[in-house]
């Protein structure tokens, strides 16, 4: 299973064993993606699923705690009164409890692995400015240098407002791919872009070099996007 629907908890057969099978199938796919260093969109999907399940469990507990309790007895060893909930789970809620108790720690574990791999990728890449860095860095170019193939993949970037995760993000658009040579250096590529897009006379430009050949779309680009936003927020 390559995608776990947003309504996976309620769609189809509502049964713990069935939902467990669906979830384990999905997490097996996620594990394969992480093993191949393909982090996105899997890492973002995991975060959404974990937050949804945690929020659902919290809301359910909040509703239960808001109901009055009846006095059941006295615990002499602990010297305290013992109360009993007046709200009892029906079959549906009991099944939901089983599913959430099973799903949340597994989502959390997979999320932790993804975050660790994200950090590992970040440690193995280098982001360097090309030429003079202007005062305004919220928009510009990203050059992804593939030293193995002597290719540069060029993206235009712009710091955007908030996404569905309520986070600021870097919006990117693919511009071109250029083969480097003695006459086509990183610096020359920036000059050519400045001539082509004269509205940006001195754009902020960064070159990204990776120690390993990570997938561009699924890993390098989203990791760099988040590192750039973090750097801009710090500045």
């Amino acid at each position: 299973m390559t995608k776990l629907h947003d309504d996976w908890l309620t769609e189809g057969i509502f049964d713990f064993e069935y939902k467990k099978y669906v979830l384990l199938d999905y997490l097996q796919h996620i594990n394969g993606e992480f093993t191949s260093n393909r982090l996105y969109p899997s890492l973002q999907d995991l975060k959404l699923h974990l937050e949804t399940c945690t929020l659902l469990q919290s809301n359910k507990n909040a509703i239960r705690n808001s109901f009055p309790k009846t006095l059941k007895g006295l615990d002499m060893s602990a010297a305290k009164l013992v109360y009993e909930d007046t709200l009892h789970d029906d079959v549906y809620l009991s099944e939901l409890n089983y599913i959430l108790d099973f799903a949340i720690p597994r989502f959390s574990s997979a999320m932790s692995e993804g975050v660790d791999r994200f950090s590992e990728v970040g440690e193995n890449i280098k982001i360097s400015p090309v030429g003079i860095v202007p005062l305004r860095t919220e928009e510009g170019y990203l050059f992804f240098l593939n030293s193995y193939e002597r290719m540069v993949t060029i993206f235009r970037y712009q710091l955007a407002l908030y996404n569905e995760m309520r986070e600021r993000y870097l919006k990117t658009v693919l511009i071109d791919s250029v083969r480097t040579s003695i006459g086509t250096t990183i610096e020359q590529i920036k000059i050519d872009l400045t001539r082509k897009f004269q509205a940006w006379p001195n754009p902020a430009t960064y070159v990204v070099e990776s120690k390993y050949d990570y997938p561009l779309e699924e890993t390098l680009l989203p990791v760099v996007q988040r590192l750039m936003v973090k750097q801009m927020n710090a500045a």
Side-chain angles (χ1 to χ4, degrees), residues 117-137:
R117 288 181 179 272
F118 179 100
S119 299
E120 181 181 315
V121 173
E123 292 170 358
N124 289 317
I125 61 177
K126 179 182 177 183
I127 305 175
S128 307
V130 180
I132 299 174
V133 179
L135 294 176
R136 179 176 173 80
T137 60

Side-chain angles (χ1 to χ4, degrees), residues 79-193:
K80 67 178 182 179
L81 299 174
V82 179
Y83 291 90
E84 181 180 25
D85 288 338
T86 57
L87 176 67
H88 296 283
D89 287 349
D90 59 16
V91 175
Y92 181 91
L93 290 179
S94 295
E95 203 74 4
L96 180 60
N97 281 337
Y98 290 136
I99 297 170
L100 291 176
D101 288 344
F102 182 83
I104 289 174
R106 284 160 180 80
F107 277 137
S108 181
S109 177
M111 183 75 190
S112 295
E113 181 185 349
V115 170
D116 288 343
R117 288 181 179 272
F118 179 100
S119 299
E120 181 181 315
V121 173
E123 292 170 358
N124 289 317
I125 61 177
K126 179 182 177 183
I127 305 175
S128 307
V130 180
I132 299 174
V133 179
L135 294 176
R136 179 176 173 80
T137 60
E138 288 82 1
E139 56 187 16
Y141 297 106
L142 292 172
F143 293 172
F144 287 85
L145 177 61
N146 187 324
S147 301
Y148 303 99
E149 299 179 1
R150 299 178 64 184
M151 293 290 295
V152 174
T153 304
I154 305 167
F155 288 87
R156 178 183 288 177
Y157 77 83
Q158 184 175 31
L159 184 63
L161 292 176
Y162 300 96
N163 57 16
E164 68 276 7
M165 306 286 289
R166 300 179 298 280
E167 301 169 337
R168 297 204 73 181
Y169 70 103
L170 213 64
K171 183 179 180 181
T172 55
V173 178
L174 177 63
I175 299 296
D176 200 0
S177 290
V178 180
R179 185 172 297 278
T180 60
S181 64
I182 296 177
T184 309
T185 61
I186 295 295
E187 292 76 13
Q188 186 60 48
I189 293 173
K190 179 181 177 181
I191 293 172
D192 293 342
L193 283 172

